[in-house]
Amino acid sequence: MSTSSPEAVKKLLENMQTDLRSLSMECKKKFPPVKEAAESGIVKIKTIAARNSDILATLKENSSEVVQPFLMGCGTKEPKITQLCLAAIQRLMSHEVVSEAAAGNIINMLWQLMENGLEELKLLQTVLVLLTTNTVVHDQVLSKAIVLCFRLHFTKDNITNNTAAATVRQVVTVVFERMVAEDERFKDIVEQPPPVQGNTNRRSVSTLRPSAKDAYMLFQDLCQLVNADAPYWLVGMTEMTRTFGLELLESVLNDFPGVFLQHQEFSFLLKERVCPLVIKLFSPNIKFRQGNSSAASPAPVEKPYFPICMRLLRVVSVLIKHFYSLLVTECEIFLSLLVKFLDGEKPQWLRAVAVESVHRLCVQPHLLRSFCLSYDMKQHSTKVFRDIVNALGSFIQSLFIVLNTGNPAATNTSTGAGGQGGSLTTQAAFEYRGTWIPLMTVSVQGSAKATYLEMLDKVEPPSIPEGYAMSVAFSALLDLVRGITSMIERELAEEEAAVRREANPDQNTQPDVSLLGAHLVWEEMVSACWCGLLAALSLLLDASTDETATESILKAELTVAVLCGRLGLVTPRDAFITAICKASLPPHYALTVLSSNTANLNNKAYSIQGQSVQIISSSSESHQQVVAVGQPLSVQPQGTVVLTAKNIQCMRTLLNLAHCHGAVLGTSWQLVLATLQHLVWILGLKPGFGGALKPGRAVEGPSTVLTTAVMTDLPVISNILSRLFESSQYLADVSLHHLISALCSLSLEAVEMAYGTNKEPSLFAVAKLLETGLVNMDRIEILWRPLTGHLLDVCQHPNARMREWGAEAVTSLIKAGLAYKHNPPLAQNQRLQLLLLNPLKELSNVLHADIRQKQLESVLQILQSQGDSLGPGWPLVLGVIGAIRNDQGESLIRTAFQCLQLVVTDFLPTMPCACLQIVVDVAGSFGLQNQELNISLTSIGLLWNISDYFFQRGEAITQELEREEAALQKQAQEKGEPLNRPFHPAPPFDCLWLCLYAKLGQLCVDPRPAVRKSAGQTMFSTIAAHGTLLQQSTWHIVVWKVLFHLLDCVRKSSTTADKEKIESGGGNILIHHSRDTAEKQWAETWVLTLAGVARIFNTRRYLLQQLGDFFKAWEVLLDHIQSAALSKNSEVSLAALKSFQEILQIATPVKDSAMPTNALAAMGVPPILIDPLSALGPGRPLLRSDSMLERLTSYNGAELQVPSPGEELALEDAALWWSAWNTWYRTGTDSTRPPNGGTGTDRPSFVPSQPFLTALVQIVPALYQHIKTVFSMEDLRRLGVILHGAVSIPISSDASPFILPSYTEAVLTSLQEAVLTALDVLQKAICVGPENLQVMYPAIFEQLLLFVEFSCKPPQYGKMETKHVANAKYNQIQLFAPAEWVALNYVPFAERSLEVVVDLYHKTACHKAVINEKVLQNIIKTLFRCVCD
């Protein structure tokens, strides 16, 4: 219940009366005055209680009188009485019924008791109750009360001292609490403080309110006392210690910072009194150097005193923490001092408390930021923040070094501990070059709980356990990193959020300024601290033997690297990443990227307090568990290298960095990936499907050794590696480009390294390029060119494994790209489709067969999976299939041909018609390759299938091609260029056919006879079967560019062919004697070609005659027939005559007037199909079994409507037939001319065969029918010469049994029959012809009579020696005798000729010409000569 409630007041009154009665009883005998005073007090109380309603207020007014009996009681100095009185006074105080005057009296009375050394604890209790229960004690009274407590602090009694110390602390706190309460009461009243002239404490006190004034006076005197000066206010102090004074100063500064910040007077005290005091007291610590003996120095230096120094540091910590903004310059001095205390020459305890103080700063990132703003970013100011971090780093380095610099005790202890620690202990520790420092748990992460800064009871400096300073410094470093990075990260996140908010509504440029400022501070902070941090962390990482500590260090390095990346500070980012990379690799591992990077850092020569900060090179890892032994990835074979558990731990950090923070790595991807590549190599991970790395087979050389510990890690590492590249799909485009370019340059290194060595190459980069490409298919366009461009280079590599992976990567990417569901789909995005397919085409330029094999296998797979949707990609794919060369080997050509077969069988209908021409070209190129005959022949079959497809889909193809042609024409016009395509003026569909014919034409002159034969048959069949589709103008090209061109080539090749005998046709195939030289094989081709062309002229004559230059074509054809007929090869010459016969059976086309085309059109015959049919005129003895009509209908199915013979009126085209006659004449003359010169034994070069001569003569009757109107006497004479020559030619004895009749039979040979038939046709024509023809009779008689003379005088063929038939037959038995020439038995022929003469003379005896030319006389002369002979 409260002290003012009626019950409490009643109780108080009762207790007071009881106390007074007790006092009265105690003093009855010895102290009568006191007894009287007590009794009158009872009366007074009763009176007050009876008369007043507000009893407490009245009591307070009269408190001086009420208290008086008790004060008198205390004056008795009797312990019992004094205790009773003090208890009563305390009761009054606790009910707040003591007035100011009474309080003064009480304090005076307590002072006397104190001076008399009575009831000291009760005194302290009374003072405390008085000051804490009310605020009546002020000014001098208050100062007296405080002095009283101080005086009691310095008594001989320990308990009293301690209690007094606690009381002083509480009283000081109360004084300041009163001031805070006073400020709170007046906070709404704004006062104008009077202007302060000068700034001395005396003048400024007058402006303060009462409680504030007390606080001011108290604090000022505390400063005076610590400085060993007389106090102004605390009068009566007899003694004071600095340590206690500093503790009180610290507690005030720490608990009431607001007082100093809000009141100018107090700020002034801080600046003018506290700071100089601290600096002055620090001076012995600053000057002191450990190891300086007093003898050596001129004046003895005061030794640092632990209790004071430690308390000063506590004060400094508070000053920096709370009053930093007030005391900028002073704090700069304090911080510089702090840094100096970390020096190696200072005592260990001083360094320990200094590092604890630094730790306290390190957990306050906002404070550190203020340092950076106030010092580091100001010109001409100490770089305080940088110095703090560097000092920490330097401190850590010195701990490793100091032990070896001649401090014997330290060295011994360290080696002792090292010895045990090295072998037995598992305690967390750092070890570096023989120095072993244990690691202790000094504080919870993020809090700086100090040990030695709290040792307020110690007077002597404590001994610092080994490793303590290191542990604190380590915690401080980690807290610093954690604090700064998390603060900046948080502010960065807020900034990004603000930017996003701004981006949405109207743009406001104002915040940017502050953001810019913030950025500058962040960048300055990182720039200031990174060198020191890196030096310290690298050293610690190298020295750490504890997994947890290593993890903390790595995490710190990682967070700084990421922060630098986010702030765009490239050098520090790369430096930290390099440190992690180096720690991942075995010690002294030669990795160029890292070395050059470290060199760059060292060149910058960062110094920490005069020591240059080296990125410390690795020490020997004596306490690390080795988990793997492997091969280093280098050009020269080296020994093995070992990986420790720590290396693997660092590798995981590296993976984590790349996986989670790839976006900020930028150019340092290079470092990270290079390191990972080497680690993967040492661990023996090899790429598998899709580029994922799996533990592979052992590498060449001493094989990789992995412990079970790392074996279980490998799948995890491999998995993280894959996830790392999978996460590239979340990177921004720019970051992705950095990743790709890093992988490419890494791969280039691997490529360089793999030159000229059989060592297995590193495939890490290639595999990861593939993996990255596969996961970024949705934006493949942006990385396709650099990605595939590099991989295509890899495909050219001489190392098979290297290029195999290059090809694997390229082809996998292309297949994945085509299969991926792009948006928009590939069908609507032709550019992308062509982009994806382009590398496939580029692979054709690679000369290595394995790469081409891979390329073609991929094409086959693409055709099977995406063939229907290739669309605009067809030309590219067909180009790849057709990029075959003869030096590529069979298997490649076979694979490519498989692709082509698939295209022709399945995909012709789905591809754009513009690509059909490419298909023809590609099929043709397979025909022309000379590696595999079967493929050449099969490809000719494919050409036939393609022509069939053209024929069936003609209409659709024509429409599509014409649409395309129109578009191309338009483009060409816009550019002002002519349209460029083969066979241009012809319609596009006809051009397709012409390309097909041209390809077949090339194949018809292939060096291989089988190919020529197959191609020739296919070509002529195609023209025969599908030629009707061609337009008239196209036929012109067919005749001149295809057929005649082919005939020229064949004629040329045949005439220049080799006559050497071919032993066998490859393998064990025997070659028939009729084909055993190249010449004979070409002869077959010539025969086929000539026959084919003649047949086309025969069947398409009507169409060809409309071309305009038919006569010229006819002449050319006849020229070919003539040169073939005169060739020295009997097969060719005979076939030429057969072709001659064939074209002579052609009827003349129907005259327009006689048979209008429109009549045929009305019958439903398309104009192009109207073909002439042969007119079988009288005297046509050479009809073949298959008549012209039969042949035509067999070529074109039943397409032809045959005009009835009645409609057909033959018209002779004189010029054509005359040309044919001249050809025949030239052929006959050349072939029957006897050989010149030479003796009879010389073997003539060539003698025409009987079948040839027979065929030649058999042409005459047919030909004569066409030229009889212009046939002159001269022509008859020429004919006679040829007939005479033909009959005169002997036959080879080899051939005689097949031609000659048996000797006894009187039978004519076919040739003789033909000659007589020819003359018969002539004489019959003369007989029915006009009168003027009859002059030819004598010439016919003359010719016949010559033949009659053969019976007695056989003709001579040049000077050739001929044998008689009988002898020849006999000679045949001698099988190996050389062939001889046999003269025919001319008797039967002469007899038959005579019969004809007689017969003819019967008919013509009365003709004028016969009489005039004395024919009868000639007959008689001839007979006479025969008889005589």
Side-chain angles (χ1 to χ4, degrees):
M1 71 185 166
S2 73
T3 50
S4 54
S5 64
E7 293 84 356
V9 171
K10 188 179 170 193
K11 188 96 188 292
L12 172 68
L13 294 173
E14 286 170 8
N15 288 339
M16 285 178 72
Q17 288 176 36
T18 311
D19 288 340
L20 288 167
R21 282 192 202 102
S22 303
L23 181 62
S24 168
M25 290 289 291
E26 290 294 334
C27 298
K28 199 189 314 183
K29 293 179 182 159
K30 281 192 186 174
F31 307 106
V34 178
K35 173 181 176 289
E36 286 168 19
E39 283 170 353
S40 66
I42 293 169
V43 175
K44 182 85 178 164
I45 284 168
K46 283 182 177 173
T47 313
I48 287 169
R51 292 190 186 164
N52 294 292
S53 55
D54 188 355
I55 296 169
L56 290 181
T58 317
L59 272 177
K60 188 170 182 180
E61 281 167 28
N62 299 293
S63 58
S64 296
E65 297 167 35
V66 173
V67 172
Q68 193 57 39
F70 299 121
L71 294 179
M72 290 168 71
C74 289
T76 62
K77 295 174 186 167
E78 278 288 321
K80 193 174 178 186
I81 298 170
T82 307
Q83 284 174 12
L84 174 82
C85 294
L86 286 173
I89 290 169
Q90 283 178 21
R91 184 177 289 119
L92 285 168
M93 288 173 182
S94 62
H95 280 78
E96 295 186 44
V97 287
V98 179
S99 67
E100 204 168 327
N105 297 337
I106 294 170
I107 295 291
N108 289 333
M109 180 272 298
L110 293 175
W111 184 271
Q112 288 169 6
L113 288 176
M114 177 266 295
E115 288 192 318
N116 290 312
L118 297 171
E119 295 300 335
E120 291 166 328
L121 293 177
K122 209 71 171 148
L123 290 183
L124 289 168
Q125 193 181 15
T126 311
V127 169
L128 198 55
V129 172
L130 175 61
L131 296 182
T132 51
T133 52
N134 56 53
T135 55
V136 293
V137 183
H138 277 297
D139 211 13
Q140 295 306 320
V141 184
L142 177 60
S143 82
K144 197 166 186 176
I146 297 170
V147 172
L148 183 151
C149 299
F150 269 119
R151 296 267 296 265
L152 288 176
H153 176 48
F154 296 104
T155 59
K156 303 280 184 290
D157 181 37
N158 242 346
I159 296 174
T160 309
N161 291 355
N162 291 342
T163 311
T167 311
V168 168
R169 288 193 179 92
Q170 207 164 347
V171 168
V172 170
T173 304
V174 165
V175 171
F176 277 88
E177 278 172 348
R178 285 181 182 182
M179 178 181 177
V180 170
E182 182 180 66
D183 284 349
E184 189 62 30
R185 285 200 304 282
F186 288 99
K187 72 175 177 192
D188 296 332
I189 302 162
V190 180
E191 291 180 346
Q192 277 304 108
V196 180
Q197 294 92 24
N199 201 6
T200 68
N201 53 344
R202 292 290 171 214
R203 215 171 267 141
S204 61
V205 182
S206 58
T207 63
L208 293 170
R209 300 190 195 96
S211 299
K213 189 177 173 185
D214 291 342
Y216 180 90
M217 297 307 284
L218 171 60
F219 191 78
Q220 179 177 248
D221 278 1
L222 285 176
C223 295
Q224 289 285 95
L225 290 166
V226 172
N227 204 17
D229 289 334
Y232 301 120
W233 186 62
L234 296 174
V235 185
M237 290 284 288
T238 53
E239 157 180 28
M240 177 63 173
T241 59
R242 263 191 185 144
T243 48
F244 190 45
L246 285 169
E247 282 174 36
L248 290 172
L249 280 178
E250 185 209 345
S251 72
V252 171
L253 291 169
N254 196 31
D255 296 344
F256 303 102
V259 166
F260 295 88
L261 292 168
Q262 286 158 18
H263 294 273
Q264 263 183 344
E265 299 82 358
F266 283 83
S267 310
F268 173 79
L269 275 185
L270 264 186
K271 273 178 113 63
E272 297 297 314
R273 305 298 304 277
V274 179
C275 294
L277 173 66
V278 171
I279 292 166
K280 174 185 155 188
L281 292 177
F282 260 144
S283 93
N285 307 290
I286 299 165
K287 292 172 186 154
F288 181 79
R289 288 268 179 275
Q290 194 164 16
N292 285 358
S293 65
S294 49
S297 52
V301 173
E302 186 188 346
K303 251 190 158 184
Y305 181 49
F306 170 73
I308 292 207
C309 182
M310 177 258 289
R311 286 167 176 78
L312 279 172
L313 282 172
R314 289 172 64 102
V315 172
V316 164
S317 292
V318 172
L319 286 174
I320 292 173
K321 181 176 178 181
H322 293 306
F323 309 111
Y324 171 78
S325 51
L326 275 180
L327 311 170
V328 180
T329 317
E330 290 82 353
C331 284
E332 184 177 345
I333 297 167
F334 295 150
L335 290 165
S336 305
L337 287 177
L338 247 186
V339 167
K340 285 200 177 78
F341 290 163
L342 292 174
D343 234 2
E345 295 160 326
K346 297 282 184 272
Q348 289 297 328
W349 62 263
L350 181 53
R351 297 180 81 194
V353 286
V355 85
E356 285 184 348
S357 306
V358 171
H359 191 188
R360 285 187 167 176
L361 299 177
C362 290
V363 295
Q364 304 176 61
H366 289 282
L367 186 61
L368 295 172
R369 197 234 305 263
S370 314
F371 293 166
C372 195
L373 264 170
S374 304
Y375 306 122
D376 296 60
M377 292 177 78
K378 295 273 189 292
Q379 280 186 319
H380 316 302
S381 166
T382 318
K383 303 280 183 255
V384 173
F385 175 58
R386 189 188 71 197
D387 290 350
I388 291 172
V389 180
N390 287 357
L392 255 182
S394 173
F395 176 69
I396 288 171
Q397 285 191 16
S398 71
L399 290 176
F400 284 113
I401 298 158
V402 76
L403 296 163
N404 302 332
T405 55
N407 179 344
T411 311
N412 291 344
T413 53
S414 83
T415 49
Q420 295 164 357
S423 54
L424 306 171
T425 183
T426 55
Q427 183 185 356
F430 292 111
E431 188 198 0
Y432 186 74
R433 298 190 176 163
T435 304
W436 186 84
I437 304 177
L439 182 61
M440 329 175 151
T441 309
V442 287
S443 66
V444 189
Q445 167 183 328
S447 73
K449 178 179 163 291
T451 305
Y452 297 100
L453 282 175
E454 301 296 339
M455 289 186 171
L456 295 166
D457 51 343
K458 288 276 193 299
V459 177
E460 280 309 306
S463 66
I464 311 291
E466 192 186 3
Y468 177 77
M470 170 64 84
S471 307
V472 177
F474 180 46
S475 291
L477 260 189
L478 296 181
D479 285 333
L480 176 89
V481 169
R482 204 178 291 116
I484 290 176
T485 49
S486 54
M487 170 181 78
I488 297 179
E489 293 277 2
R490 191 167 54 249
E491 292 173 358
L492 265 172
E494 287 165 11
E495 175 198 75
E496 282 163 8
V499 168
R500 276 199 299 276
R501 279 198 302 277
E502 277 170 49
N504 293 348
D506 50 348
Q507 289 292 325
N508 182 9
T509 52
Q510 197 49 43
D512 290 1
V513 183
S514 64
L515 291 179
L516 185 66
H519 263 284
L520 289 173
V521 183
W522 300 333
E523 286 172 22
E524 178 60 43
M525 285 188 88
V526 175
S527 303
C529 73
W530 74 266
C531 292
L533 282 178
L534 182 59
L537 289 171
S538 302
L539 171 59
L540 290 170
L541 179 57
D542 190 27
S544 167
T545 60
D546 174 59
E547 195 175 335
T548 317
T550 305
E551 196 56 47
S552 307
I553 299 164
L554 286 168
K555 189 175 179 195
E557 292 192 337
L558 175 79
T559 45
V560 179
V562 172
L563 180 64
C564 295
R566 287 193 67 181
L567 293 176
L569 303 170
V570 176
T571 310
R573 174 196 71 192
D574 289 0
F576 277 92
I577 292 175
T578 304
I580 301 174
C581 292
K582 291 191 95 160
S584 307
L585 291 164
H588 314 299
Y589 190 86
L591 184 48
T592 334
V593 189
L594 301 183
S595 323
S596 59
N597 215 30
T598 314
N600 292 346
L601 297 181
N602 288 344
N603 292 347
K604 293 190 169 59
Y606 305 107
S607 77
I608 297 180
Q609 298 191 326
Q611 307 172 15
S612 80
V613 180
Q614 295 288 311
I615 305 242
I616 294 191
S617 61
S618 305
S619 65
S620 54
E621 305 256 347
S622 54
H623 294 292
Q624 291 298 328
Q625 176 202 358
V626 172
V627 292
V629 179
Q631 294 281 300
L633 172 56
S634 61
V635 187
Q636 274 72 37
Q638 299 173 339
T640 52
V641 287
V642 295
L643 285 180
T644 60
K646 192 201 284 182
N647 294 140
I648 300 292
Q649 200 177 350
C650 298
M651 179 185 185
R652 283 175 164 238
T653 304
L654 207 51
L655 287 167
N656 178 17
L657 168 72
H659 185 244
C660 306
H661 307 288
V664 299
L665 287 181
T667 48
S668 53
W669 268 113
Q670 183 76 35
L671 302 169
V672 176
L673 295 173
T675 309
L676 290 175
Q677 175 184 19
H678 284 259
L679 287 167
V680 158
W681 179 265
I682 296 168
L683 290 170
L685 292 172
K686 297 284 178 289
F689 180 71
L693 294 163
K694 299 279 181 287
R697 56 196 171 75
V699 225
E700 297 94 276
S703 57
T704 305
V705 182
L706 304 173
T707 61
T708 45
V710 82
M711 280 304 283
T712 53
D713 263 2
L714 278 188
V716 181
I717 289 174
S718 142
N719 191 14
I720 299 174
L721 267 169
S722 286
R723 285 217 310 277
L724 187 166
F725 290 94
E726 278 167 27
S727 66
S728 68
Q729 60 191 300
Y730 307 115
L731 292 178
D733 291 357
V734 178
S735 307
L736 185 62
H737 264 294
H738 280 305
L739 170 59
I740 296 285
S741 69
L743 279 171
C744 287
S745 60
L746 199 58
S747 177
L748 274 176
E749 279 175 36
V751 163
E752 289 298 316
M753 213 183 276
Y755 273 111
T757 169
N758 301 331
K759 243 186 98 173
E760 179 158 356
S762 169
L763 302 166
F764 173 83
V766 173
K768 294 305 163 193
L769 277 170
L770 167 58
E771 219 170 355
T772 309
L774 290 175
V775 296
N776 286 288
M777 270 304 157
D778 54 327
R779 49 171 169 177
I780 196 69
E781 265 179 280
I782 64 164
L783 52 111
W784 189 251
R785 282 198 174 85
L787 191 63
T788 54
H790 173 72
L791 290 174
L792 286 167
D793 290 345
V794 176
C795 292
Q796 305 267 17
H797 201 277
N799 184 307
R801 185 109 172 88
M802 191 85 184
R803 62 172 183 264
E804 171 198 339
W805 258 94
E808 169 66 34
V810 173
T811 51
S812 300
L813 284 169
I814 295 169
K815 288 186 283 195
L818 292 172
Y820 185 79
K821 292 188 167 29
H822 294 274
N823 185 19
L826 278 184
Q828 291 156 36
N829 190 350
Q830 296 188 6
R831 202 176 60 77
L832 178 58
Q833 187 178 34
L834 293 174
L835 181 72
L836 291 175
L837 283 168
N838 200 47
L840 197 61
K841 183 183 92 185
E842 296 290 330
L843 281 175
S844 304
N845 302 330
V846 179
L847 300 174
H848 301 285
D850 49 352
I851 301 301
R852 296 278 286 113
Q853 188 69 38
K854 185 88 194 155
Q855 173 202 30
L856 291 167
E857 284 166 9
S858 305
V859 170
L860 201 51
Q861 288 163 350
I862 289 169
L863 287 174
Q864 286 160 348
S865 54
Q866 266 91 36
D868 291 332
S869 55
L870 279 176
W874 271 111
L876 226 146
V877 173
L878 291 168
V880 172
I881 297 172
I884 53 162
R885 296 189 312 278
N886 280 328
D887 56 1
Q888 279 176 338
E890 287 178 27
S891 69
L892 265 186
I893 292 175
R894 210 171 282 126
T895 311
F897 191 59
Q898 264 181 304
C899 299
L900 178 64
Q901 284 177 302
L902 186 62
V903 171
V904 174
T905 49
D906 292 8
F907 297 116
L908 289 180
T910 61
M911 71 171 68
C913 291
C915 301
L916 293 172
Q917 185 191 329
I918 307 174
V919 179
V920 171
D921 286 342
V922 173
S925 61
F926 278 99
L928 293 167
Q929 57 75 33
N930 59 20
Q931 292 292 297
E932 180 64 271
L933 178 62
N934 284 340
I935 285 181
S936 294
L937 297 173
T938 316
S939 68
I940 295 170
L942 285 182
L943 285 168
W944 170 260
N945 296 351
I946 293 168
S947 74
D948 232 20
Y949 170 76
F950 292 171
F951 187 66
Q952 289 156 10
R953 300 281 297 268
E955 207 167 312
I957 296 175
T958 307
Q959 285 172 0
E960 188 178 329
L961 286 174
E962 278 170 356
R963 270 200 305 277
E964 196 160 315
E965 175 98 344
L968 288 171
Q969 192 81 48
K970 192 176 173 194
Q971 279 176 14
Q973 272 171 358
E974 283 167 9
K975 290 181 187 168
E977 299 167 357
L979 184 64
N980 181 20
R981 70 166 167 74
F983 308 112
H984 169 46
F989 183 50
D990 287 18
C991 286
L992 209 48
W993 284 106
L994 290 170
C995 290
L996 179 73
Y997 296 153
K999 264 296 163 221
L1000 285 167
Q1002 281 178 313
L1003 289 164
C1004 288
V1005 290
D1006 191 88
R1008 295 161 297 176
V1011 175
R1012 297 201 292 270
K1013 184 173 184 180
S1014 176
Q1017 290 168 341
T1018 305
M1019 174 156 149
F1020 293 118
S1021 306
T1022 314
I1023 295 178
H1026 307 137
T1028 49
L1029 295 178
L1030 298 179
Q1031 298 196 9
Q1032 196 173 345
S1033 55
T1034 312
W1035 269 100
H1036 187 272
I1037 302 173
V1038 173
V1039 171
W1040 290 100
K1041 298 270 176 64
V1042 179
L1043 300 179
F1044 285 157
H1045 175 67
L1046 175 60
L1047 273 172
D1048 286 337
C1049 295
V1050 172
R1051 175 164 64 184
K1052 190 176 171 196
S1053 300
S1054 296
T1055 48
T1056 57
D1058 196 1
K1059 297 181 175 59
E1060 281 292 307
K1061 189 169 181 185
I1062 300 167
E1063 288 309 323
S1064 71
N1068 300 322
I1069 306 169
L1070 292 173
I1071 299 185
H1072 189 263
H1073 68 81
S1074 65
R1075 295 285 175 262
D1076 62 1
T1077 68
E1079 187 186 27
K1080 291 176 183 175
Q1081 292 170 349
W1082 271 103
E1084 180 185 25
T1085 308
W1086 199 356
V1087 168
L1088 258 174
T1089 313
L1090 193 56
V1093 176
R1095 192 173 313 123
I1096 289 168
F1097 265 77
N1098 194 1
T1099 55
R1100 300 271 178 242
R1101 164 101 180 274
Y1102 183 80
L1103 194 150
L1104 295 177
Q1105 272 196 296
Q1106 295 167 354
L1107 293 182
D1109 55 0
F1110 180 70
F1111 179 71
K1112 193 175 161 195
W1114 177 259
E1115 293 262 74
V1116 173
L1117 177 61
L1118 290 173
D1119 175 57
H1120 276 287
I1121 289 175
Q1122 180 183 329
S1123 56
L1126 293 173
S1127 88
K1128 300 288 186 275
N1129 183 297
S1130 52
E1131 183 184 0
V1132 175
S1133 53
L1134 185 58
L1137 296 181
K1138 295 262 175 64
S1139 299
F1140 203 173
Q1141 290 176 0
E1142 180 154 10
I1143 62 169
L1144 292 185
Q1145 292 166 16
I1146 308 169
T1148 47
V1150 178
K1151 203 173 179 187
D1152 283 356
S1153 57
M1155 191 191 100
T1157 320
N1158 52 11
L1160 284 178
M1163 290 157 57
V1165 181
I1168 203 161
L1169 293 183
I1170 301 170
D1171 249 2
L1173 291 169
S1174 52
L1176 305 181
R1180 295 291 302 274
L1182 288 175
L1183 261 190
R1184 300 272 273 282
S1185 59
D1186 54 336
S1187 74
M1188 206 62 222
L1189 181 60
E1190 284 167 34
R1191 251 190 358 285
L1192 272 183
T1193 44
S1194 71
Y1195 282 141
N1196 292 326
E1199 291 168 13
L1200 289 175
Q1201 299 287 329
V1202 184
S1204 66
E1207 291 172 325
E1208 188 177 13
L1209 293 172
L1211 168 76
E1212 301 290 331
D1213 189 309
L1216 294 180
W1217 297 114
W1218 191 248
S1219 175
W1221 161 250
N1222 284 331
T1223 302
W1224 184 89
Y1225 168 67
R1226 286 193 296 274
T1227 309
T1229 307
D1230 285 3
S1231 56
T1232 58
R1233 186 183 292 125
N1236 295 330
T1239 59
T1241 53
D1242 283 355
R1243 187 176 177 84
S1245 58
F1246 180 74
V1247 176
S1249 68
Q1250 291 290 306
F1252 170 79
L1253 295 166
T1254 310
L1256 183 70
V1257 176
Q1258 282 174 344
I1259 291 173
V1260 175
L1263 191 51
Y1264 179 71
Q1265 294 300 333
H1266 296 290
I1267 57 164
K1268 55 187 175 190
T1269 52
V1270 287
F1271 195 74
S1272 67
M1273 192 68 193
E1274 178 58 25
D1275 296 323
L1276 180 59
R1277 194 186 58 68
R1278 287 174 176 172
L1279 175 65
V1281 173
I1282 292 171
L1283 293 178
H1284 183 276
V1287 179
S1288 312
I1289 293 174
I1291 56 173
S1292 160
S1293 57
D1294 302 1
S1296 60
F1298 307 104
I1299 295 173
L1300 295 179
S1302 60
Y1303 193 55
T1304 49
E1305 294 167 24
V1307 183
L1308 300 189
T1309 64
S1310 311
L1311 173 60
Q1312 294 164 344
E1313 288 269 11
V1315 169
L1316 294 173
T1317 306
L1319 290 171
D1320 184 50
V1321 168
L1322 248 69
Q1323 61 95 0
K1324 282 179 180 161
I1326 295 165
C1327 183
V1328 297
E1331 193 69 29
N1332 61 353
L1333 281 184
Q1334 296 185 357
V1335 294
M1336 293 185 188
Y1337 276 138
I1340 292 176
F1341 277 115
E1342 190 182 337
Q1343 189 67 49
L1344 284 167
L1345 288 172
L1346 269 175
F1347 293 156
V1348 171
E1349 262 185 65
F1350 286 1
S1351 60
C1352 54
K1353 191 173 163 198
Q1356 189 70 23
Y1357 183 57
K1359 293 184 179 174
M1360 256 177 80
E1361 199 176 290
T1362 54
K1363 293 202 173 185
H1364 201 263
V1365 175
N1367 300 350
K1369 280 203 170 172
Y1370 166 73
N1371 269 352
Q1372 276 179 346
I1373 300 163
Q1374 300 167 4
L1375 288 172
F1376 301 107
E1380 294 173 321
W1381 295 105
V1382 181
L1384 291 162
N1385 180 2
Y1386 287 109
V1387 176
F1389 177 53
E1391 288 173 358
R1392 177 70 66 81
S1393 302
L1394 190 55
E1395 285 171 20
V1396 174
V1397 168
V1398 173
D1399 212 24
L1400 185 58
Y1401 192 71
H1402 268 305
K1403 292 181 194 168
T1404 60
C1406 16
H1407 277 286
K1408 195 184 290 178
V1410 175
I1411 297 163
N1412 290 350
E1413 291 295 322
K1414 302 177 181 168
V1415 169
L1416 182 59
Q1417 195 177 346
N1418 290 341
I1419 294 171
I1420 294 165
K1421 275 182 187 172
T1422 305
L1423 289 170
F1424 176 75
R1425 276 201 296 278
C1426 290
V1427 172
C1428 291
D1429 287 348

